[in-house]
Amino acid sequence: MRHVSAYSMFLGILIVAFSGNWIIDNYDSVSIYPKASYILFGIGLAIVIVTFIMNRFSTYHEDTYVYRKDNRDALNMRLQDKRPFSKWLIAIIMIPLLFALFCSWSLFFQLFSLYLLCGFVLAGFVYILRGDRVEVEENWDYKGKTKIMLELIDYRKHPFNISLFLYILVIVSFVLSKQLDIPFYMETSGNPRYVTSLPTSSVFMSCLMVVSAFIYIISQGDFFGFRKAELSYYKVMFIHFVEIYCCGPVLLIWLFTVINALYVHF
């Protein structure tokens, strides 16, 4: 059951990310969102929740063949190589960019943004998967409320990370903005008041959401030849460190955007 749930959890979080990013990217191009967009977003969330419940009532059973093979070993060997990526792979990635550049600048930047987001997610996966399968657990000698808080944000135990909650908040506000006819003034072009725009920062946050969910996935079962890992809390803390730089600005910009929209409307 754990083997199946790893893939269903990954599918659910990808549905959440792709459907949510579609809602974000098409905010200015639609008068009201089609029902299929936010229904698909809800389906992704439902898959994540149902899979988490399934994991609570199932036990991980290690197959005998996994003792002979673990793709983590191949990944570590590849990373130790001076050239971990082959020239053919780099060429396959660059050729579509060159074609897009000759077609139009907008297509080039869209494809480049897609590569950038995928690269961000893959870098997060590599960071989580590299190293030993069973890492030495540190002695975090915390007690009381601090210990409870650390357990709540331990992504090895559940997939409900801070990025996911904030991403849900942003998507729900986008959908309600269209349905209630309360437009958001996000200044995605020209001279923005913030360092980044809410749509751009939210899309990057969706990548962090996927990486954070992957910590739970690989901690609960095997995934595409990578055996269930016992990750150290240092990796979880590093993800929290990245969340401070990503989710903090998103929350502040979102608050100012919503407050400004309500003030102008009423």
Side-chain angles (χ1 to χ4, degrees):
M1 184 66 71
R2 287 291 181 93
H3 300 297
V4 177
S5 64
Y7 299 103
S8 61
M9 175 67 71
F10 189 65
L11 175 63
I13 201 67
L14 283 184
I15 292 176
V16 171
F18 280 109
S19 58
N21 287 344
W22 187 91
I23 291 175
I24 292 173
D25 292 336
N26 291 272
Y27 180 82
D28 293 329
S29 61
V30 298
S31 57
I32 188 169
Y33 288 111
K35 289 184 178 180
S37 61
Y38 49 85
I39 288 177
L40 187 62
F41 185 81
I43 290 174
L45 287 177
I47 294 175
V48 171
I49 296 172
V50 170
T51 304
F52 173 71
I53 296 174
M54 288 170 53
N55 283 341
R56 299 285 291 181
F57 294 97
S58 62
T59 305
Y60 173 77
H61 296 286
E62 217 169 29
D63 298 327
T64 56
Y65 78 91
V66 297
Y67 289 103
R68 299 193 300 268
K69 182 180 180 181
D70 186 358
N71 286 340
R72 185 175 283 98
D73 298 330
L75 175 64
N76 288 327
M77 291 181 62
R78 174 66 68 176
L79 292 175
Q80 291 175 0
D81 193 359
K82 294 182 179 179
R83 295 180 179 178
F85 303 105
S86 65
K87 296 180 180 179
W88 289 106
L89 179 61
I90 297 176
I92 292 174
I93 294 174
M94 294 301 297
I95 288 174
L97 278 177
L98 294 176
F99 277 108
L101 182 61
F102 285 106
C103 292
S104 66
W105 280 103
S106 61
L107 180 61
F108 172 79
F109 284 115
Q110 289 177 358
L111 188 59
F112 180 77
S113 299
L114 179 61
Y115 280 171
L116 190 63
L117 296 176
C118 292
F120 186 85
V121 173
L122 288 176
F125 287 176
V126 170
Y127 172 73
I128 294 169
L129 292 171
R130 68 181 302 178
D132 297 330
R133 171 178 174 259
V134 180
E135 300 179 357
V136 179
E137 183 60 68
E138 302 78 13
N139 184 19
W140 297 85
D141 191 16
Y142 294 111
K143 298 179 181 179
K145 295 182 179 180
T146 304
K147 183 178 180 181
I148 295 174
M149 179 60 67
L150 289 175
E151 290 179 351
L152 287 175
I153 59 176
D154 191 346
Y155 299 158
R156 298 172 299 181
K157 300 179 180 179
H158 62 81
F160 308 112
N161 49 75
I162 297 173
S163 304
L164 175 61
F165 285 118
L166 186 54
Y167 193 68
I168 294 173
L169 194 62
V170 171
I171 298 303
V172 171
S173 66
F174 271 49
V175 174
L176 291 178
S177 171
K178 290 296 184 180
Q179 291 184 342
L180 301 178
D181 195 21
I182 305 178
F184 287 160
Y185 180 57
M186 293 179 292
E187 294 180 308
T188 55
S189 61
N191 186 22
R193 70 182 71 177
Y194 312 117
V195 176
T196 182
S197 65
L198 180 60
T200 301
S201 55
S202 297
V203 170
F204 276 103
M205 185 177 63
S206 68
C207 299
L208 183 58
M209 173 188 70
V210 175
V211 174
S212 299
F214 187 70
I215 293 178
Y216 173 78
I217 293 172
I218 200 63
S219 298
Q220 299 298 316
D222 302 339
F223 187 75
F224 284 111
F226 293 95
R227 294 171 58 191
K228 176 180 177 293
E230 296 181 17
L231 302 176
S232 66
Y233 199 64
Y234 274 123
K235 288 188 176 180
V236 182
M237 290 299 292
F238 178 78
I239 297 298
H240 290 322
F241 179 77
V242 178
E243 279 184 326
I244 294 174
Y245 284 93
C246 184
C247 297
V250 172
L251 179 59
L252 290 177
I253 296 174
W254 177 82
L255 284 173
F256 280 116
T257 302
V258 172
I259 292 173
N260 180 68
L262 293 174
Y263 176 79
V264 172
H265 182 75
F266 294 106

